[in-house]
């Protein structure tokens, strides 16, 4: 089954404790992206990747890191999480940036 | 302000009525897509319209695109209670960067 998986689905952590949210897709898509969703702000793109080893900043990259060492995986790293990074995070993949994006189920992160 | 902004922010209609949502954007685009999100879940793709298209249909959905006004509309005809969800437009900016920007969404409630 074609899908995008994210782990964990829910995470409560404390300020400053490094964490990684994994994202994996099985559709051989070139393009992968991370978004955060906050009430009233819609989805905002954090980082995106057009291919292996090619990443670029979205609209809200501060405080986040990504890597794309393999085509199927695109982890999101928060080196020193802060409470303003409390949000609902979505990973998505598509053939290219302009094609239909397939979304993961979301990761609800709370930073205390 | 944001690249993609939908209006209205919220819409409540009776089952069987039509629902129209609008999206405005600011930069040149390659295409525009509409997505649907059921409460807190991942987004699901509805329809894609390319910058050289003016109108597209898919089942009960009709999308228009006016690149001169940098706006798009999504019409859902004969709405059903199951259409209750949030709807987002997403644009891929032109220029080869494959950057995707989502709007803030329209929350649609269809009353049975």
């Amino acid at each position: 089954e074609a899908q995008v998986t994210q782990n964990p689905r829910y995470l409560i952590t404390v300020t400053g404790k490094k964490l990684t949210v994994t994202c994996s897709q099985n559709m051989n898509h070139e393009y992968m992206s991370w978004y955060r969703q906050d009430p009233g702000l819609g989805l905002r793109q954090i980082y995106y990747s057009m291919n292996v080893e090619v990443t670029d900043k979205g609209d809200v990259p501060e405080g986040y890191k990504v890597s794309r060492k393999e085509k199927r995986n695109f982890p999101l790293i928060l080196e020193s999480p802060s409470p303003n990074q409390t949000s609902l995070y979505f990973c998505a993949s598509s053939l290219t940036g302009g094609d239909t994006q397939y979304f993961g189920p979301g990761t609800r992160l709370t930073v205390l | 302000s944001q690249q993609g902004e939908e209006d209205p922010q919220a819409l409540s209609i009776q089952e069987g009525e039509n629902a129209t949502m609008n999206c405005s954007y600011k930069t040149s685009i390659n295409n525009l897509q509409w997505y649907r999100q059921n409460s807190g879940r991942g987004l699901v793709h509805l329809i894609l319209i390319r910058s050289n298209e003016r109108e597209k249909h898919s089942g009960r959905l009709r999308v228009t695109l006016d690149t001169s006004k940098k706006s798009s509309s999504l019409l859902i005809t004969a709405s059903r209670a199951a259409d209750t969800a949030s709807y987002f437009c997403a644009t891929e900016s032109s220029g080869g960067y494959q950057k995707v920007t989502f709007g803030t969404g329209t929350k649609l409630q269809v009353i049975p």
Side-chain angles (χ1 to χ4, degrees), chain A residues 63-76:
Chain A
Y64 304 94
K65 282 176 58 176
V66 293
S67 67
R68 188 93 182 272
K69 293 187 171 60
E70 311 164 274
K71 201 173 196 178
R72 63 182 293 125
N73 296 323
F74 191 45
L76 178 70

Side-chain angles (χ1 to χ4, degrees), chain B residues 1 4 8 14 27-28 34 55 57 64 67 69 83 89 99-100:
Chain B
S1 51
Q14 297 287 331
T27 64
S28 296
W34 285 90
E55 188 170 311
H57 296 255
T64 61
T67 52
K69 293 181 179 177
D83 294 328
C89 68
K99 187 173 179 301
V100 176

Side-chain angles (χ1 to χ4, degrees), chain B residues 43-93:
Chain B
L43 279 72
V44 174
H45 180 258
L46 294 176
I47 197 164
L48 179 152
I49 186 165
R50 302 206 181 275
S51 59
N52 61 353
E53 297 176 308
R54 292 296 166 259
E55 188 170 311
K56 207 158 181 183
H57 296 255
S58 177
R60 293 184 295 113
L61 306 180
R62 182 173 81 104
V63 168
T64 61
L65 179 64
D66 186 335
T67 52
S68 66
K69 293 181 179 177
K70 292 187 167 59
S71 68
S72 172
S73 68
L74 170 68
L75 168 68
I76 304 174
T77 59
S79 63
R80 305 167 181 165
D83 294 328
T84 294
S86 291
Y87 292 82
F88 295 87
C89 68
T91 54
E92 183 207 8
S93 300

Side-chain angles (χ1 to χ4, degrees), chain A residues 31 35 37 40-45 48 50 56-59 88 90 96-101 103-105 108, chain B residues 2 9 30-31 33 35 37 40-45 48 50 88 90 92 96-105:
Chain A
Y31 188 95
Y35 299 91
Q37 184 175 26
L41 297 177
L43 275 81
R44 294 179 292 170
Q45 194 174 44
Y48 62 100
M50 290 186 275
D56 211 342
K57 296 177 181 177
D59 292 315
L88 179 58
F90 288 102
T96 71
D99 289 306
T100 299
Q101 292 197 55
F103 281 80
R108 192 167 289 279
Chain B
Q2 294 201 57
Q9 289 186 327
N30 289 332
N31 62 59
Q33 302 183 55
Y35 288 82
Q37 182 184 36
R41 298 189 153 195
L43 279 72
V44 174
H45 180 258
L48 179 152
R50 302 206 181 275
F88 295 87
E92 183 207 8
Y97 297 105
Q98 299 192 44
K99 187 173 179 301
V100 176
T101 304
F102 278 80
T104 51

Side-chain angles (χ1 to χ4, degrees), chain A residues 11-19 36 38 60-64 77-89 109-112:
Chain A
L11 180 60
I12 300 174
T13 189
V14 295
T15 299
K17 187 175 180 183
K18 181 179 178 180
L19 66 93
R36 62 177 287 173
D38 302 289
V60 288
E62 295 78 19
Y64 304 94
I77 302 156
L78 284 73
E79 295 267 359
S80 184
S82 62
N84 64 12
Q85 292 178 298
T86 292
S87 188
L88 179 58
Y89 290 86
L109 172 66
T110 301
V111 183
L112 300 174

